[in-house]
Amino acid sequence: MKTEKSCGAVVFTRENGMIQYVIIRSTEGYYGFPKGHMEHGESEKETALREIKEETGLDVLLIDGFKTADVHPFSQPGQPTALKQVIYFLAEFSRQKPSAQESEISDIQLMCYEKAIESFQFEGIKRVLHEADSFLRQHLS
């Protein structure tokens, strides 16, 4: 089975002592985090930083010590089903306003953990957020 690899990050900011996550909505209507395909010669972190900048306009700082993956079947019309692996890092931004890459993103919102979990359609992305949120609460109090 063909495999595809993408990289991105759970992006957050702190507002009034509260963690707010950057949640994107794809043009297909799915909620998630900024991510995209690796280009030849890029590292996972380089891909994540590039995709975050392209999709949200944000310059972020990757947080050391957090990395997780989501693997799920992926299909496109007329193509055989592939396995898609998405590597997620944790990234923080401050004093910037996200702006959506209109060709791929229909909306960007800042959401608290509870609202973000409710917006996700897939269990894998819920798990990624749960892991990131737990890491933040343990390491960045």
Side-chain angles (χ1 to χ4, degrees), residues 14-25:
R14 301 172 213 222
E15 290 184 352
N16 303 320
M18 301 286 295
I19 295 171
Q20 295 286 309
Y21 294 99
V22 174
I23 307 300
I24 62 167
R25 188 169 137 216

Side-chain angles (χ1 to χ4, degrees), residues 6-110:
S6 292
C7 300
V10 177
V11 180
F12 72 97
T13 191
R14 301 172 213 222
E15 290 184 352
N16 303 320
M18 301 286 295
I19 295 171
Q20 295 286 309
Y21 294 99
V22 174
I23 307 300
I24 62 167
R25 188 169 137 216
S26 69
T27 53
E28 295 89 14
Y30 298 112
Y31 290 88
F33 301 110
K35 66 181 185 321
H37 290 23
M38 287 185 77
E39 291 184 1
H40 182 72
E42 275 185 331
S43 71
E44 292 173 344
K45 288 181 177 180
E46 288 169 339
T47 299
L49 291 169
R50 177 182 52 78
E51 287 291 339
I52 292 163
K53 181 70 172 177
E54 288 177 4
E55 292 187 355
T56 69
L58 296 171
D59 292 307
V60 301
L61 175 66
L62 294 179
I63 305 297
D64 287 337
F66 182 86
K67 179 179 173 182
T68 190
D70 181 37
V71 179
H72 56 271
F74 176 75
S75 60
Q76 291 181 315
Q79 304 256 339
T81 299
L83 269 184
K84 185 167 192 171
Q85 178 188 39
V86 185
I87 303 297
Y88 288 102
F89 297 98
L90 189 58
E92 184 173 16
F93 79 96
S94 62
R95 297 186 294 276
Q96 301 171 66
K97 184 175 171 29
S99 64
Q101 178 187 24
E102 293 180 7
S103 61
E104 293 186 28
I105 308 300
S106 64
D107 190 26
I108 297 178
Q109 296 181 40
L110 292 178

